[in-house]
Amino acid sequence: MKLYNIMEDEVRYAIDKILKTRKNICDCEKCRLDIAAIALNHLPPKYVVTEKGELYERANNLNLQFEADVVKEVAKAIEKVNRKPQHS
Ligand SMILES: [Zn+2]
């Protein structure tokens, strides 16, 4: 069994979704990870216990407020990274 922070998946999902609509923003690996790190530091972790080999399915019980919070933090992180990209 493993401890798993499903907030990481949610943040990655939100980054993909938002970057698809924002053509002027760099989506290299470094920028994506920086965005994820900043957003995750502003969001509470959401841990679940998974069985070995079990794939986490996007929970349908995540409510709209939860998603709105994730999108808001990711959008803020994107602006921050976009203003000062750390990629080389
Ligand atoms: Zn970049």
Side-chain angles (χ1 to χ4, degrees):
M1 290 195 284
K2 272 179 100 172
L3 255 191
Y4 189 67
N5 180 9
I6 64 171
M7 191 57 98
E8 287 186 22
D9 277 359
E10 293 303 317
V11 163
R12 278 176 218 270
Y13 179 81
I15 291 171
D16 279 349
K17 208 164 84 175
I18 296 172
L19 286 184
K20 246 179 231 164
T21 67
R22 305 282 300 270
K23 299 285 177 227
N24 54 332
I25 287 177
C26 177
D27 69 343
C28 75
E29 188 69 9
K30 172 72 173 142
C31 287
R32 277 173 175 269
L33 289 175
D34 283 342
I35 292 164
I38 293 167
L40 282 166
N41 281 337
H42 287 95
L43 289 161
K46 212 170 166 72
Y47 284 102
V48 294
V49 177
T50 63
E51 300 288 337
K52 203 177 165 207
E54 178 199 12
L55 277 180
Y56 165 68
E57 288 177 43
R58 273 197 95 230
N60 294 317
N61 58 357
L62 298 176
N63 62 37
L64 284 174
Q65 184 56 51
F66 173 84
E67 259 199 66
D69 288 345
V70 172
V71 167
K72 193 178 80 186
E73 289 301 334
V74 168
K76 280 201 310 208
I78 286 173
E79 295 310 324
K80 204 165 175 180
V81 170
N82 191 43
R83 270 198 307 271
K84 222 178 163 191
Q86 302 290 317
H87 53 213
S88 48

